[in-house]
């Protein structure tokens, strides 16, 4: 029918709001189910759902919320640029505790006093984490070793050696709130950056420890949480069509995508299973 045609003609990038809890792939699967159901496409046993090309432009951890950029149709080819682009986050850190995952989902591995840390101390260390810095990614992460996620290997109790430090970019970093043991940071960073590593490293720099309690992605590329992220009640073919139209104007002009395609013939965007 008409809605099926409209669904399969959707093309471009838009953003959805990912709540705390589900994985990024889970959110994408739910979105896909919604759209196929609305278009009346039967998916049981039928490979039709493979026909709907949809992917996301960079994983948000299950415990994190915020902007998830989604590519649909030809838009899936544009996701690669999203992964590398800049992102903004608001993070709440907790002083005095460290966990194996560097966030609130992990086991507490260390506790240290933090009463000596002042707001000025915290503000003073932030400049050390601004600009081009070296960062060791967390052991528990979506990064892979021999094709398996590090977090999967760790959970099986296999020894995983730390990944080497890598150069990442922090465009801006500021302290929004300080109510010990909690502190709130706003950070704008480039691709491959881990906010939980930042929070942990800040804790060490202050001679205590810290773990990330909460994370919200407020912006990715040109997409902001307030303006562009579609909440679940707006996951309809018409709303997405409207959003795609609005979002096209935010993106760089077409030729740059053409160029991108020829540069990386073998690469595909990160899409969900």
């Amino acid at each position: 029918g008409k809605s099926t045609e409209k669904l399969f003609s959707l093309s471009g990038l838009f953003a959805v709001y990912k709540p705390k809890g589900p994985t990024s792939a889970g959110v994408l699967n739910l979105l896909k189910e919604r759209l196929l159901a609305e278009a009346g496409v039967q998916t049981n046993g039928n490979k039709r759902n493979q026909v709907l090309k949809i992917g996301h432009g960079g994983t948000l951890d299950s415990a994190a919320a915020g902007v998830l950029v989604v590519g649909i149709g030809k838009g899936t080819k544009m996701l690669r640029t999203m992964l590398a682009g800049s992102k903004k986050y608001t993070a709440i850190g907790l002083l005095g505790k460290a966990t194996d995952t560097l966030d609130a989902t992990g086991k507490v591995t260390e506790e240290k006093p933090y009463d000596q840390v002042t707001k000025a101390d915290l503000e003073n260390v932030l400049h050390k984490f601004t600009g081009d810095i070296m960062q060791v990614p967390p052991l528990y992460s979506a990064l892979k070793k021999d094709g398996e996620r590090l977090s999967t290997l760790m959970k099986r109790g296999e020894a995983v050696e730390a990944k080497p430090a890598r150069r990442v970019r922090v465009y801006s970093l500021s302290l929004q709130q300080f109510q010990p043991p909690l502190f709130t940071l706003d950070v704008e960073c480039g691709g491959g950056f881990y906010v939980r590593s930042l929070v942990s490293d800040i804790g060490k720099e202050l001679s205590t420890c810290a773990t990330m309690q909460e994370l919200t992605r407020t912006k990715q590329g040109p997409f902001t949480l307030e303006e562009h992220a579609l909440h679940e009640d707006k996951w309809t073919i018409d709303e997405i069509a409207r959003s795609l139209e609005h979002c096209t104007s935010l993106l760089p002009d077409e030729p740059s995508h053409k160029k991108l395609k020829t540069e990386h013939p073998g690469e595909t965007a990160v899409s969900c299973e």
Side-chain angles (χ1 to χ4, degrees):
K2 249 200 167 61
S3 57
T4 314
E5 257 164 67
K6 186 167 185 181
L7 173 59
F8 286 101
S9 69
L10 294 178
S11 187
L13 296 180
F14 63 102
V16 297
Y17 173 75
K18 180 198 150 333
K20 271 190 203 182
T23 63
S24 296
V27 168
L28 218 55
N29 285 331
L30 184 62
L31 173 68
K32 204 171 181 177
E33 269 170 40
R34 276 290 163 82
L35 295 175
L36 290 165
E38 188 192 338
V41 180
Q42 290 297 311
T43 52
N44 42 351
N46 163 346
K47 286 280 179 253
R48 186 69 199 240
N49 58 347
Q50 254 89 71
V51 183
L52 185 60
K53 275 174 67 183
I54 197 164
H56 67 70
T59 304
L60 261 181
D61 289 335
S62 306
V67 177
L68 188 66
V69 175
V70 177
I72 192 165
K74 292 197 179 73
T76 53
K77 300 212 170 25
M78 293 147 74
L79 290 169
R80 177 92 8 217
T81 50
M82 281 294 129
L83 285 165
S86 93
K87 301 154 184 77
K88 278 188 181 168
Y89 296 91
T90 299
I92 300 177
L94 173 77
L95 291 169
K97 272 190 178 145
T99 67
D100 54 1
T101 58
L102 312 187
D103 67 14
T105 66
K107 291 202 288 281
V108 175
T109 52
E110 195 181 11
E111 297 198 43
K112 280 186 162 179
Y114 59 85
D115 334 353
Q116 72 285 6
V117 178
T118 65
K119 186 175 182 186
D121 292 336
L122 198 43
E123 278 172 332
N124 288 338
V125 302
L126 296 187
H127 70 91
K128 295 188 180 176
F129 297 98
T130 308
D132 283 340
I133 62 168
M134 295 303 284
Q135 184 185 68
V136 177
L139 280 178
Y140 276 92
S141 74
L143 293 179
K144 297 190 174 176
K145 181 190 172 194
D146 310 328
E148 279 210 87
R149 280 175 186 263
L150 288 181
S151 46
T152 313
L153 296 173
M154 300 264 303
K155 281 177 191 146
R156 281 212 306 261
E158 291 191 23
V160 174
E161 59 238 48
K163 287 258 171 187
R166 49 189 191 171
R167 190 175 298 281
V168 288
R169 179 164 291 181
V170 178
Y171 298 103
S172 67
L173 178 59
S174 59
L175 180 66
Q176 295 305 311
Q177 260 192 314
F178 183 60
Q179 293 173 300
L182 298 174
F183 60 97
T184 306
L185 300 171
D186 273 354
V187 55
E188 184 172 4
C189 54
F193 183 85
Y194 282 92
V195 185
R196 14 189 198 131
S197 293
L198 170 73
V199 169
S200 171
D201 292 344
I202 286 172
K204 288 177 191 150
E205 194 63 44
L206 293 164
S207 307
T208 176
C209 50
T211 189
M212 190 174 77
Q213 289 298 99
E214 265 184 54
L215 183 66
T216 307
R217 183 152 65 196
T218 54
K219 189 168 191 259
Q220 182 171 9
F223 300 96
T224 67
L225 188 54
E226 287 78 30
E227 269 184 280
H228 310 108
L230 297 177
H231 283 253
E232 211 183 315
D233 59 331
K234 296 255 165 67
W235 293 359
T236 64
I237 296 169
D238 285 346
E239 286 284 358
I240 288 168
R242 201 171 305 146
S243 194
L244 286 167
E245 224 165 281
H246 172 57
C247 293
T248 309
S249 59
L250 302 170
L251 298 164
D253 292 335
E254 213 34 59
S256 64
H257 301 314
K258 294 272 190 315
K259 191 170 84 236
L260 244 154
K261 256 180 250 183
T262 51
E263 279 172 24
H264 312 286
E267 287 191 330
T268 54
V270 177
S271 82
C272 81
E273 270 47 286

